[in-house]
Amino acid sequence: MIHAHWFVAAAQLVVGIVWSLVMWGTGLRKTPNLTSADLTACIPIGLCACIAHGGSVLAMGVGAVSFAQIVKACEPVFAAVVGVLLPPVDFKPMLAYAMLIPIVGGVGLACIKEGKGVDINVEAFMYASVANAAAALKGKLGGSVTKALKGDKSKNMDSANVYAIMNIISFIFTVPIVIVSELPTLREEWDKSCAEHGTQALVMNIALSGLFFYIYNEFAFAFTAQVGAVTSSVLNTAKRVIIIVVSAIIFGEAMERNTVIGSAIAIGGTFAYSLASKKAPAKAKKA
């Protein structure tokens, strides 16, 4: 609705911060008890979260929402590469790596338009890929930090508070990007969008998107901790399918045969990768 995507990303994060402050202020949730060293350890996670969120918003802002979600299905590919390149090295079972082939192939097929050949929105593809890389780095860098914080009961860092702190740090990193890249034209873009859609509709859209974004991620953090990664992966796969289908219907985005088949293959590969990567390696038999 407004051509100021980093501003939208920042505003959405503000909604999450307000939510967290209300929860802490009313006593509905324990306030985190972190040291400066704890906050410093969280900075890389917040930076990656900032880039991942901003990249996703930009990808959907410059291209079709359904296309951005199809590319986002490639996140396991980035996670696999990061897991091998950065210490501690995390090797997955060979079956998991094999599942990367249908993911990449499915996204490639979805980019082939009938009668046109390869036809992609390069800008949206790049932003979504940057978001994937940042999300993979966030998972790699943040795993040990979040585990340590949640393990110390005195810090009051359950899954919800871990995400809340990450959200606040992400916002802090987003603000300078807004100032540098969009502040000079922000007032003009805001007035233009208000004239086209109405101020109330614009504010409501940003507020609700920020609320839904925060609540979903907070519950996803807590849910994964309770039910495990495999069940979470099943529901995450279903979520991606629903977003692609609903966005295509609501926004009138064309879904050609190759797009449907390719996205189905890619999402199916993502689901299979999630299951295969959690499969414990066979133990060697004792002599």
Side-chain angles (χ1 to χ4, degrees):
M1 296 182 75
I2 179 173
H3 191 70
H5 306 306
W6 277 108
F7 168 75
V8 172
Q12 289 173 335
L13 296 176
V14 168
V15 176
I17 293 174
V18 172
W19 172 276
S20 299
L21 292 177
V22 170
M23 297 297 284
W24 293 331
T26 57
L28 292 174
R29 182 176 299 156
K30 293 182 178 179
T31 304
N33 182 28
L34 301 178
T35 65
S36 57
D38 293 330
L39 292 173
T40 300
C42 291
I43 288 176
I45 311 173
L47 174 59
C48 291
C50 161
I51 298 172
H53 178 51
S56 298
V57 172
L58 285 161
M60 290 183 284
V62 301
V65 174
S66 57
F67 176 72
Q69 291 298 320
I70 293 171
V71 178
K72 290 275 289 175
C74 276
E75 186 177 323
V77 178
F78 291 82
V81 173
V82 169
V84 172
L85 294 181
L86 296 183
V89 175
D90 178 23
F91 284 110
K92 302 293 184 183
M94 285 306 299
L95 180 59
Y97 291 117
M99 291 303 101
L100 298 178
I101 298 174
I103 295 176
V104 176
V107 172
L109 179 60
C111 295
I112 299 176
K113 305 299 182 184
E114 296 180 25
K116 298 181 181 179
V118 178
D119 181 23
I120 65 174
N121 185 322
V122 177
E123 192 176 4
F125 181 85
M126 292 302 298
Y127 284 135
S129 296
V130 168
N132 283 341
L137 285 169
K138 180 184 70 175
K140 182 69 175 183
L141 299 175
S144 59
V145 175
T146 55
K147 185 177 181 180
L149 292 175
K150 290 165 69 175
D152 189 341
K153 300 301 182 182
S154 66
K155 297 185 184 298
N156 299 331
M157 289 295 283
D158 57 6
S159 298
N161 277 349
V162 167
Y163 181 71
I165 295 299
M166 184 180 70
N167 185 74
I168 293 172
I169 297 175
S170 176
F171 169 74
I172 293 172
F173 277 112
T174 305
V175 171
I177 301 176
V178 175
I179 293 174
V180 172
S181 64
E182 296 177 348
L183 187 60
T185 60
L186 183 57
R187 183 56 185 268
E188 179 184 349
E189 292 295 338
W190 178 267
D191 291 341
K192 186 188 302 182
S193 185
C194 288
E196 183 177 355
H197 304 287
T199 303
Q200 183 177 355
L202 179 60
V203 172
M204 185 66 69
N205 184 283
I206 294 175
L208 287 177
S209 64
L211 180 62
F212 293 143
F213 169 78
Y214 186 84
I215 291 177
Y216 162 75
N217 281 285
E218 182 182 286
F219 275 79
F221 260 63
F223 188 77
T224 301
Q226 292 295 323
V227 304
V230 174
T231 302
S232 179
S233 296
V234 174
L235 296 178
N236 193 50
T237 301
K239 174 208 75 173
R240 204 169 295 283
V241 173
I242 293 171
I243 290 176
I244 291 173
V245 173
V246 172
S247 63
I249 294 173
I250 294 178
F251 299 116
E253 298 170 353
M255 294 286 285
E256 297 183 359
R257 182 178 60 180
N258 285 349
T259 304
V260 174
I261 296 174
S263 59
I265 293 173
I267 292 171
T270 302
F271 176 53
Y273 172 86
S274 299
L275 296 181
S277 64
K278 302 302 175 186
K279 202 174 183 66
K283 296 181 179 179
K285 293 182 178 180
K286 295 182 178 179

